[in-house]
Amino acid sequence: MPLTALGLFFAYPVAGILLRGLRPDGAWELGAVIEVLARERVHRVLWFTLWSAAAGTTLAVVLGLPVAWALHRLRFPGRDLLRALVLVPFVLPTVVVGVAFRQLLAPSGPLGGLGLDGTAVAIVLALAFFNVSVVVRTVGSFWEGHDPRREEAAAALGASPWQVWWTVTLPGIRPAVVSAASVVFLFCATAFGVVLTMGGLRYANVETEIYLLTTQELDLAGAAALSLLQLAVVVGLLGVSARARRGSGPVARSPRPLPRPGVRHLGVLAWTAAVVAFLMTPLVSLLVASLRRGDGWGLQNYAALATTGEGNALLVPVTRALTTSLTVALQASAFALLLGTLVAYLVSRPRRGSGAAVLDGLFMLPLGVSAVTVGFGFLITLDRPPLDLRSAALLVPVAQAMVALPLVVRTVAPVLHSVDDRQRQAAASLGAGPLRVLRTVDLAVAWRALLAAAGFAFAVSLGEFGATAFLARDDDPTLPVVIYRLIGQPGAENFGMAMAASVVLAGTTTLVVLGVQRLRVGSAGAF
Amino acid sequence: MGLSVEAVSVRYGATLAVDAVSLEVPTGSVTAVLGPSGCGKSSLLRVVAGLERPAAGRVAVDGRDLARVPTHRRGFALLFQDGQLFEHLTVAGNVGYALRLRRAPRARREARVAELLSLVGLEGYDARLPATLSGGERQRVALARALAVEPRLLLLDEPLSALDRGLRERLAADLHEILHTAGVTALLVTHDQEEAFAVADRMAVMREGRVVQQGSLAEVWRRPVDAWTARFLGYAETLEGEQAAALRRLAAPEADWSALALRRSAVHLDPEGPLAARVLEARLDPDHVRLVLDVNGVGRLPGVAAPGSAVRVGERVRLSLDPDRLASLPRVTA
């Protein structure tokens, strides 16, 4: 069953892209791809993709490491709230982040004086904004399990705190840092919503370029060529990240409770406070802007959400788009949970032989696809015979489910994996049938993870923009699509509506994610 | 004059983990702090290492107060239960770690690493990674690493507890040998009295945050301060009051104890012995037949018979008491 679903919704669209790129006129040829890759504009796009991703990654790691330490190696009141706050940016819809940064940095905005509006620096800041939480979570949860006695042994041997950090701590957390950095690089290099809303016409990365080629220039062959390139790079990066993770191994819990902060931790705590402020500023600013209309304050922007905007910028009112978004997200998360749990179950079963490894690889492959690739692949394969899903109204939910699938698998698989197979054997030997084993052993352990995965899938799907931008129908758009359309239209009222809609969207996803956070699943949101 | 711990207390919130403990570790001696888990011995070790701040009291080396000296300037070394090797460094990298911190020249470092590896019996292990070592080998590497810079004081936190029994006995003997060869002053904390007896030459017994007894091994062993201590040290039974008096009248009329601790082998089968008993239980173990006896006029006592003897449950036997295998206790017991 999962094989069929993956074949249909993953292999088929990817094959479609391959065909489109390599066989544009019914004959195999590499010429078209090479021609596309030789374009000067494509070189600029590639260069921007690489350096903005590298800069965003570096910034996220530098900002995130001290925060990971403070939030996972110290114990103080409010720590859990801070952990939740740091997680929020990552699950915010990309469009919302783009809008928030634009509003913040616009000449008329609170930080307009910095002159960063429309610059590459602003894009890099936004990329880092998203991914600090990935660094904090990935490195932090790894760090948490570290036995501090190794560092104490080094200190007793005469290593100063600085020497302990360089010679023991950093090498110890290196697998997690490399893993986090490679994943963050991946996210930055495939960032779509942020670059599309903030880059304007000056800056495009591979993802936005695929979108522009498809929707503006109708150059499907060019888009396919870029998609192939993207696919290859992403799969390579995932390999690097998986290798880094493999080196990490199981971690032992520290034997003592974590220390409370003292005077010597002031630097780290100040850094953490600054990073949290950096993460909160665009959001607070967005909220403030949504309450502003002209020179006054009020809820007019929210009231206007029931309309189609100034000069009928939209075909449907924003409230209708919200309903659509919620419905689609429900369908998508249900599908992602079902498929993802099956995949997680299959990859977490102890198996032998090389056939098993191939199967594992096959199941993990979809994790490497960017949302835009999914959307583009769906667009060129699933909206026409032999398989026309465009009218079935399921195209968008299914595409969003494919985007959320990695998150579900990564959340559920480690938990299922942590079930000692001997527990299943013990249950079976006591007379439990396979279904009962599943219910009393696996499910008893995994239900929190399943719930968390469903919540995450819901949040991701709510904010999903990359795939949806290709597939949503104009007369039935989702909320992120509507926001993107609104900021593209002239008029202060439309801008105000975009702000209000962004706040509604951000608020909804944040509530869902905070609920998930309360479940305290260690692997939730890990990559 | 070595390490002196003076009236040190450690407090975690409302609980007093270490309660005004004073302790002497003379230069060149190996002192064991022996106590059950949760008695505060590890907290005491952490205070000495500078990893924990005491709520009260003073830690001094050769008379110099260490309160303001951070861990890395104390010139000690710490050896943990599970070694805590640096997994990313080779065996040679681990052992030479402290030398590299002190910027020792490469040639001297290599020579010292080779010397230490041979001291702990791991010649030729230089290039191995910790992950490829057995538990015993890891502890040896950790020991070599700790000895590399000739620490003023070596702190051992249950150094052998993570190992299995046979290995533990072998390594305990080696550890004793190595510590004395290297002439190290060491403080060992452990819950295992065998480990303490095998490695240390002085001992402090700790219970519920307090040191209840300290002295040389022989002193502590010969005169446990109370029944609890005697049992913790490995005595099989303690007797007091009427029972102790009855045993003295029957088996050792010239002795002067009024309460005593017995090793299991103190009461043994002897056809000529002064005690009469009925066998309640008999079980073979590698060294002898373990007995539980109902001794006439005294009551239930543990005892032994030679491994070859065919003792049956219910049989009537004669016993004698070995005065070298018992310790007298002060009358008032805890």
Side-chain angles (χ1 to χ4, degrees):
Chain A
M1 206 292 276
L3 264 182
T4 320
L6 285 183
L8 196 59
F9 300 124
F10 172 68
Y12 180 45
V14 169
I17 297 176
L18 270 170
L19 282 181
R20 184 68 69 139
L22 296 177
R23 216 180 156 188
D25 312 307
W28 292 101
E29 55 166 324
L30 281 169
V33 175
I34 292 168
E35 183 271 318
V36 172
L37 297 184
R39 289 180 198 164
E40 205 240 313
R41 170 155 175 98
V42 169
H43 288 169
R44 268 213 321 271
V45 166
L46 280 177
W47 173 235
F48 179 75
T49 308
L50 286 179
W51 84 253
S52 67
T57 306
T58 311
L59 190 58
V61 170
V62 169
L63 289 177
L65 276 188
V67 180
W69 191 88
L71 295 186
H72 289 269
R73 299 290 317 195
L74 292 176
R75 186 169 48 112
F76 53 89
R79 186 193 62 179
D80 289 351
L81 177 71
L82 283 183
R83 281 192 193 178
L85 281 183
V86 168
L87 184 63
V88 164
F90 179 69
V91 296
L92 282 184
T94 53
V95 175
V96 171
V97 174
V99 168
F101 268 80
R102 274 186 66 174
Q103 184 277 330
L104 184 68
L105 300 174
S108 58
L111 296 182
L114 300 178
L116 290 176
D117 190 31
T119 64
V121 174
I123 296 179
V124 169
L125 280 177
L127 291 176
F129 170 86
F130 259 116
N131 289 301
V132 165
S133 65
V134 178
V135 176
V136 172
R137 277 198 74 97
T138 311
V139 180
S141 55
F142 185 81
W143 220 335
E144 196 159 11
H146 257 223
D147 197 330
R149 289 180 301 169
R150 190 159 297 155
E151 283 143 26
E152 292 169 0
L157 289 170
S160 67
W162 186 241
Q163 285 170 321
V164 170
W165 162 253
W166 270 111
T167 59
V168 181
T169 311
L170 198 58
I173 60 166
R174 190 166 47 203
V177 175
V178 171
S179 172
S182 57
V183 169
V184 169
F185 187 85
L186 186 69
F187 286 150
C188 290
T190 59
F192 176 65
V194 165
V195 180
L196 192 66
T197 45
M198 295 176 67
L201 295 173
R202 277 174 65 199
Y203 299 106
N205 66 3
V206 175
E207 296 280 288
T208 58
E209 188 68 7
I210 293 172
Y211 177 75
L212 293 177
L213 283 178
T214 309
T215 57
Q216 313 278 304
E217 300 177 24
L218 304 177
D219 177 4
L220 292 190
L226 281 179
S227 295
L228 286 179
L229 180 72
Q230 182 82 311
L231 205 60
V233 171
V234 162
V235 168
L237 275 172
L238 274 179
V240 171
S241 136
R243 274 183 77 93
R245 222 192 324 270
R246 225 189 358 254
S248 59
V251 289
R253 286 275 128 192
S254 23
R256 276 189 310 281
L258 297 172
R260 293 186 169 279
V263 179
R264 66 206 162 99
H265 301 132
L266 270 184
V268 171
L269 290 175
W271 186 273
T272 304
V275 170
V276 171
F278 164 65
L279 297 182
M280 292 303 118
T281 307
L283 302 180
V284 172
S285 159
L286 179 73
L287 182 64
V288 171
S290 77
L291 295 170
R292 254 195 123 87
R293 175 60 72 87
D295 288 331
W297 299 87
L299 291 173
Q300 293 96 324
N301 288 329
Y302 290 89
L305 292 182
T307 71
T308 54
E310 191 177 347
N312 279 340
L314 306 168
L315 292 177
V316 295
V318 180
T319 42
R320 168 84 190 282
L322 178 62
T323 329
T324 306
S325 271
L326 292 172
T327 318
V328 167
L330 265 182
Q331 293 163 338
S333 48
F335 186 60
L337 187 67
L338 186 67
L339 188 57
T341 307
L342 284 170
V343 170
Y345 186 72
L346 288 174
V347 295
S348 66
R349 301 250 72 180
R351 263 180 275 111
R352 284 169 286 282
S354 58
V358 172
L359 198 62
D360 282 355
L362 200 65
F363 281 125
M364 296 315 263
L365 203 58
L367 310 193
V369 190
S370 75
V372 165
T373 319
V374 170
F376 181 63
F378 272 48
L379 183 72
I380 62 172
T381 52
L382 297 179
D383 69 335
R384 65 193 67 190
L387 212 81
D388 187 359
L389 293 177
R390 197 157 168 84
S391 52
L394 276 178
L395 199 56
V396 173
V398 170
Q400 293 188 348
M402 294 309 290
V403 173
L405 189 65
L407 212 54
V408 175
V409 176
R410 287 275 160 91
T411 303
V412 176
V415 176
L416 287 181
H417 200 71
S418 72
V419 177
D420 192 327
D421 204 40
R422 287 172 300 181
Q423 288 200 9
R424 299 191 185 105
Q425 290 159 2
S429 75
L430 293 171
L435 269 181
R436 205 177 169 82
V437 169
L438 195 64
R439 193 164 60 81
T440 52
V441 179
D442 292 273
L443 215 55
V445 176
W447 70 269
R448 277 167 182 276
L450 288 176
L451 208 55
F456 260 117
F458 188 80
V460 165
S461 161
L462 261 188
E464 212 293 315
F465 183 56
T468 314
F470 284 86
L471 303 170
R473 289 197 313 235
D474 289 344
D475 57 350
D476 199 11
T478 62
L479 202 48
V481 174
V482 161
I483 293 170
Y484 176 63
R485 202 152 297 162
L486 279 173
I487 57 166
Q489 302 286 335
E493 189 181 325
N494 286 336
F495 189 74
M497 276 173 70
M499 297 295 138
S502 295
V503 170
V504 170
L505 188 54
T508 315
T509 41
T510 306
L511 281 182
V512 171
V513 171
L514 289 185
V516 168
Q517 184 83 352
R518 286 195 70 90
L519 291 170
R520 294 175 191 279
V521 179
S523 55
F527 299 93
Chain B
M1 60 196 279
L3 170 80
S4 62
V5 172
E6 293 158 27
V8 161
S9 296
V10 178
R11 192 180 283 283
Y12 297 116
T15 50
L16 196 57
V18 176
D19 186 1
V21 162
S22 295
L23 194 67
E24 293 292 331
V25 182
T27 302
S29 80
V30 178
T31 298
V33 174
L34 178 68
S37 54
C39 73
K41 58 188 190 301
S42 289
S43 302
L44 181 66
L45 189 83
R46 294 176 61 77
V47 168
V48 174
L51 297 167
E52 197 84 57
R53 205 176 276 275
R58 192 176 105 102
V59 176
V61 166
D62 299 335
R64 200 164 82 85
D65 189 356
L66 293 182
R68 298 189 164 278
V69 183
T71 303
H72 66 279
R73 293 197 203 286
R74 291 196 176 190
F76 298 171
L78 249 173
L79 179 61
F80 285 110
Q81 186 181 104
D82 36 10
Q84 299 295 341
L85 297 182
F86 306 136
E87 301 290 332
H88 61 286
L89 298 178
T90 60
V91 166
N94 268 282
V95 176
Y97 178 81
L99 295 165
R100 221 167 29 250
L101 291 179
R102 284 165 180 67
R103 305 190 190 290
R106 192 187 173 84
R108 200 175 90 68
R109 210 167 69 214
E110 281 170 1
R112 179 77 178 136
V113 168
E115 181 190 334
L116 285 160
L117 285 181
S118 106
L119 179 69
V120 298
L122 290 178
E123 294 97 335
Y125 275 60
D126 309 58
R128 298 270 294 270
L129 280 171
T132 68
L133 302 179
S134 72
E137 289 166 348
R138 293 172 69 89
Q139 273 322 71
R140 287 169 190 268
V141 173
L143 179 62
R145 180 178 73 183
L147 294 175
V149 284
E150 289 156 10
R152 290 197 287 173
L153 179 67
L154 179 60
L155 303 169
L156 304 144
D157 189 358
E158 313 239 355
L160 306 175
S161 303
L163 307 175
D164 50 37
R165 194 187 166 85
L167 191 56
R168 194 164 64 216
E169 285 175 6
R170 249 196 347 266
L171 202 52
D174 288 357
L175 187 56
H176 181 84
E177 172 75 26
I178 291 165
L179 292 181
H180 282 90
T181 309
V184 183
T185 311
L187 179 64
L188 161 83
V189 309
T190 179
H191 67 269
D192 177 1
Q193 88 278 2
E194 284 182 26
E195 187 172 313
F197 279 107
V199 178
D201 38 45
R202 288 175 48 81
M203 181 183 286
V205 180
M206 229 177 134
R207 182 188 180 192
E208 288 169 3
R210 293 169 165 276
V211 168
V212 292
Q213 187 174 10
Q214 62 176 308
S216 73
L217 284 192
E219 281 163 24
V220 175
W221 177 247
R222 290 300 307 172
R223 301 196 68 83
V225 71
D226 56 29
W228 180 90
T229 306
R231 282 176 175 275
F232 193 74
L233 289 173
Y235 284 92
E237 188 66 72
T238 54
L239 298 179
E240 56 182 37
E242 196 42 52
Q243 256 193 319
L247 185 64
R248 193 184 61 208
R249 272 197 311 278
L250 290 169
E254 72 288 358
D256 60 349
W257 34 259
S258 54
L260 80 165
L262 294 171
R263 292 184 67 184
R264 179 173 290 280
S265 53
V267 176
H268 55 96
L269 221 59
D270 177 3
E272 312 292 310
L275 298 165
R278 195 164 60 86
V279 177
L280 298 176
E281 286 173 31
R283 203 154 43 84
L284 191 66
D285 84 3
D287 293 329
H288 35 236
V289 181
R290 290 169 165 240
L291 303 173
V292 177
L293 303 151
D294 182 12
V295 180
N296 295 351
V298 180
R300 239 174 126 92
L301 282 184
V304 295
S309 54
V311 192
R312 262 186 304 257
V313 172
E315 200 178 327
R316 301 219 152 257
V317 294
R318 304 290 302 181
L319 307 162
S320 62
L321 185 66
D322 184 346
D324 292 333
R325 290 171 185 273
L326 55 82
S328 70
L329 296 175
R331 184 188 291 271
V332 183
T333 55

